[in-house]
Amino acid sequence: MNKIILIGNLTHDPESRSTPNGVTVCTFTIAVNRRFAPQGGERQTDFFRINAWRQLGETCARYLAKGRKVAVIGEIQPRLYEAKDGSTRMSLDVSADEVEFLSPRGEGEGSTYSAPRPAANPQDLAGFTDISSDDIPF
């Protein structure tokens, strides 16, 4: 079974692109703090490259920004590439199955996903009585 769960903050704004077949992929990196610091040292941070595909990728590209906190559930995929010196190297990327936005709306940079609240419709409040806070006994 290949499954990873990460919670961290985006290190930069996500990058969105399309494959030649028109499939959207959104790539971003998150910083994940380790639970414990080595004795007498600072807590270490690990960085993970995340790939979100199709509709999930479009949603991530639209609503995420640097500094936002996210939870990612996915699988680790090895990626081979050729370095500038000509050697072959391997990188471990995470292919996201689920991404949950954990930062509250309007918090942090790029607060572009705060939607306007609909006006309260009096019919929606049928059966409820408006009371003031002075009427509450506690």
Side-chain angles (χ1 to χ4, degrees):
M1 177 183 283
N2 180 357
K3 186 71 96 173
I4 187 166
I5 301 171
L6 302 166
I7 296 177
N9 295 332
L10 271 73
T11 60
H12 57 77
D13 289 337
E15 299 173 9
S16 181
R17 64 187 188 286
S18 295
T19 65
N21 295 336
V23 177
T24 301
V25 60
C26 178
T27 303
F28 55 93
T29 301
I30 61 172
V32 178
N33 292 325
R34 293 197 183 174
R35 293 180 69 180
F36 303 103
Q39 188 172 5
E42 292 183 33
R43 279 175 75 172
Q44 295 180 343
T45 303
D46 297 312
F47 298 89
F48 295 89
R49 180 181 161 112
I50 312 294
N51 296 312
W53 294 86
R54 296 176 181 76
Q55 182 64 39
L56 180 61
E58 292 172 10
T59 304
C60 289
R62 183 173 178 189
Y63 295 119
L64 290 178
K66 179 181 177 179
R68 297 258 182 198
K69 183 177 286 288
V70 294
V72 176
I73 299 173
E75 61 183 39
I76 296 176
Q77 293 183 333
R79 180 175 60 95
L80 295 174
Y81 66 95
E82 189 172 314
K84 292 180 181 178
D85 63 2
S87 63
T88 301
R89 298 195 182 169
M90 184 178 75
S91 169
L92 294 176
D93 292 354
V94 176
S95 179
D97 294 327
E98 301 174 43
V99 177
E100 185 169 337
F101 304 160
L102 299 178
S103 293
R105 290 183 181 188
E107 180 180 290
E109 294 182 24
S111 58
T112 58
Y113 74 97
S114 57
R117 290 188 174 178
N121 186 349
Q123 294 174 351
D124 294 341
L125 301 176
F128 291 96
T129 305
D130 189 24
I131 61 170
S132 70
S133 60
D134 296 334
D135 295 335
I136 300 174
F138 49 87

